[in-house]
Amino acid sequence: MYTIGWDGGSTVFPNNSTNWFFYIFQERRCVEILNKSRRLFVKRMGDIEKKSKILIFGGTGYYGTYQVKACVAAAHPTYVYARPVKPPHDPSKLDLLKEFKSLGVTIFEGELDEHEKLVEAIRQVDIVIVTLGLPLIMTQLKIITAMQEAGNVKRFIPSEFGNECDRISPLPPYQAACCGPKKIIRRAAEKSGIPYTFVIANTYGAYFVNYLLRPYDKESNKVTIYGTGEAQFSLNYEKDIAEYTVKVATDPQTENGLIIYRLPKCIISQLDLISMWEKKTGHAMEKTYVSEEKLINLSETLPFPESAPMAILYSLFVKGEEMAYDLKEEDLDVVELYPEYKYTTVEELLDIFLVDPPKPFQAAF
């Protein structure tokens, strides 16, 4: 018999060389498996510890809903700051809040002018993402003030998610409704001392497929083309924008930077989008053109804020301002930064509309 002391203990083996090697192999194999399991456990615990607590303002809005679900899907503890639901209330908002809670989302109820509540909520998280709509853009100044007092925010993603307002020349209503306020928030973020990232997500894909093609209207095959229909834009699915943004918000490489979402297989013109849809549905569409001059005239003659959508359509679909500038050396390209992420192409987005079309939504100005 052999007695071998190993790993703090001893094991008795029979006096047989074949059995001796077999038992040594088996015992070492067991220890290797245990050590590997321990390393995996430690890694998983580390991954859990690395997860960031993310607070979303505007989480019950059109895009905000995508952002909340993306944070949950990435296993980040997710929080939503929402206005209290008071009568008369929209039943769909109550249903959405119930859905969020079922996903494990923590809901903070409060108004944006309740400074103490803002600070209390912000002190419980690591990252703040704002997805408020255009009428509320300037209220982000209150959020910035609260973040400065809280003193714990590791990243701030302000409500951008559209065009690169610092590099376009918008018509006055677009400037007044969108670009002007966003520039003010950018400068405030830069001066705040809070780490930030500006997300240029370009065109909401599902929103503008509904707006341009009207697939929900089964009785009509009419489509409106703005300008010549040849200008290109980046039509990015909101789900992808939200999932990219979770990566961006938690990535040290994007701190105090500007990141642009130009997804190569999502860059398209109105004419190509219409042609693609016609091929998928097997139906030709009746086309009506709105000239560049007509859009400019409407932006000048309609009262504000009704004039703002005309100015935005002009920027996106006539001037093609999303694609009209070159990226600077310091700009971040989301596709280059996260090449492993498989985004939804325009072809695939239209396939979604054929099977389970996202509901249309009308933005407020």
Side-chain angles (χ1 to χ4, degrees):
M1 303 292 288
Y2 295 101
T3 301
I4 302 226
W6 184 48
D7 198 26
S10 64
T11 304
V12 178
F13 296 98
N15 189 11
N16 178 294
S17 61
T18 301
N19 288 338
W20 186 84
F21 283 113
F22 173 77
Y23 288 126
I24 286 287
F25 174 79
Q26 287 294 92
E27 191 163 351
R28 285 182 175 175
R29 181 61 179 154
C30 288
V31 172
E32 286 174 3
I33 291 171
L34 287 171
N35 284 338
K36 183 176 181 181
S37 298
R38 182 179 63 81
R39 288 194 298 270
L40 286 172
F41 176 77
V42 171
K43 181 181 183 300
R44 286 171 183 166
M45 289 302 295
D47 288 342
I48 291 171
E49 290 171 359
K50 289 177 186 175
K51 293 297 180 182
S52 299
K53 296 178 181 179
I54 301 178
L55 171 61
I56 299 167
F57 289 88
T60 60
Y62 172 73
Y63 171 70
T65 302
Y66 287 96
Q67 193 64 71
V68 171
K69 292 179 178 179
C71 291
V72 171
H76 292 283
T78 305
Y79 303 75
V80 169
Y81 190 94
R83 296 178 66 184
V85 180
K86 300 176 182 178
H89 59 259
D90 182 357
S92 64
K93 183 174 180 179
L94 274 178
D95 292 341
L96 182 60
L97 290 173
K98 288 178 182 178
E99 180 185 356
F100 284 170
K101 289 177 182 178
S102 73
L103 295 173
V105 176
T106 300
I107 308 296
F108 296 126
E109 288 195 351
E111 302 287 351
L112 290 172
D113 58 2
E114 293 183 285
H115 178 73
E116 291 76 13
K117 283 189 177 181
L118 288 176
V119 173
E120 181 184 358
I122 290 167
R123 280 184 173 153
Q124 299 181 51
V125 302
D126 305 303
I127 293 169
V128 172
I129 300 177
V130 184
T131 64
L132 296 169
L134 290 179
L136 297 173
I137 290 294
M138 291 300 292
T139 61
Q140 290 179 101
L141 293 174
K142 298 176 182 178
I143 297 172
I144 291 172
T145 299
M147 287 191 293
Q148 288 175 309
E149 181 172 330
N152 61 293
V153 174
K154 298 175 183 176
R155 188 69 60 89
F156 170 45
I157 310 289
S159 190
E160 288 270 351
F161 301 105
N163 211 334
E164 218 300 54
C165 287
D166 276 339
R167 300 185 214 177
I168 65 172
S169 301
L171 294 175
Y174 187 11
Q175 173 71 15
C178 179
C179 291
K182 284 186 177 181
K183 289 180 182 180
I184 292 172
I185 299 303
R186 278 195 191 186
R187 304 295 87 83
E190 290 165 349
K191 294 177 182 178
S192 68
I194 302 163
Y196 63 85
T197 307
F198 301 140
V199 171
I200 310 305
N202 291 314
T203 305
Y204 285 161
Y207 182 96
F208 275 101
V209 166
N210 269 318
Y211 188 92
L212 295 171
L213 301 179
R214 301 170 59 86
Y216 54 88
D217 187 352
K218 304 300 182 183
E219 304 301 319
S220 175
N221 69 336
K222 296 181 179 180
V223 62
T224 300
I225 298 172
Y226 301 96
T228 65
E230 297 172 342
Q232 291 193 320
F233 49 95
S234 189
L235 192 69
N236 305 327
Y237 187 26
E238 289 86 337
K239 180 176 180 290
D240 296 331
I241 293 173
E243 290 177 358
Y244 269 131
T245 299
V246 176
K247 293 178 179 291
V248 168
T250 55
D251 188 346
Q253 298 176 91
T254 64
E255 184 175 316
N256 295 340
L258 180 144
I259 188 162
I260 297 175
Y261 296 8
R262 281 184 183 171
L263 314 184
K265 293 184 180 179
C266 294
I267 296 171
I268 198 166
S269 69
Q270 290 177 86
L271 293 180
D272 288 340
L273 179 66
I274 293 165
S275 175
M276 195 180 291
W277 184 246
E278 288 176 330
K279 289 176 183 176
K280 287 184 178 294
T281 60
H283 301 294
M285 304 192 78
E286 181 183 332
K287 302 171 183 67
T288 301
Y289 286 80
V290 176
S291 69
E292 176 177 352
E293 293 75 21
K294 179 67 172 176
L295 276 176
I296 293 174
N297 178 261
L298 288 171
S299 76
E300 293 172 342
T301 57
L302 286 174
F304 185 83
E306 287 85 351
S307 57
M310 301 300 107
I312 292 172
L313 292 171
Y314 175 80
S315 173
L316 292 179
F317 303 127
V318 177
K319 299 295 287 184
E321 288 190 305
E322 283 184 357
M323 304 300 298
Y325 60 89
D326 295 326
L327 271 60
K328 299 177 181 178
E329 185 177 351
E330 64 269 23
D331 291 337
L332 298 168
D333 183 321
V334 77
V335 177
E336 291 183 2
L337 205 55
Y338 311 110
E340 76 286 351
Y341 182 83
K342 187 182 182 301
Y343 62 82
T344 308
T345 67
V346 174
E347 284 266 10
E348 292 166 342
L349 178 57
L350 293 184
D351 288 339
I352 292 172
F353 271 88
L354 287 174
V355 178
D356 185 19
K359 294 179 180 179
F361 180 82
Q362 187 67 45
F365 291 92

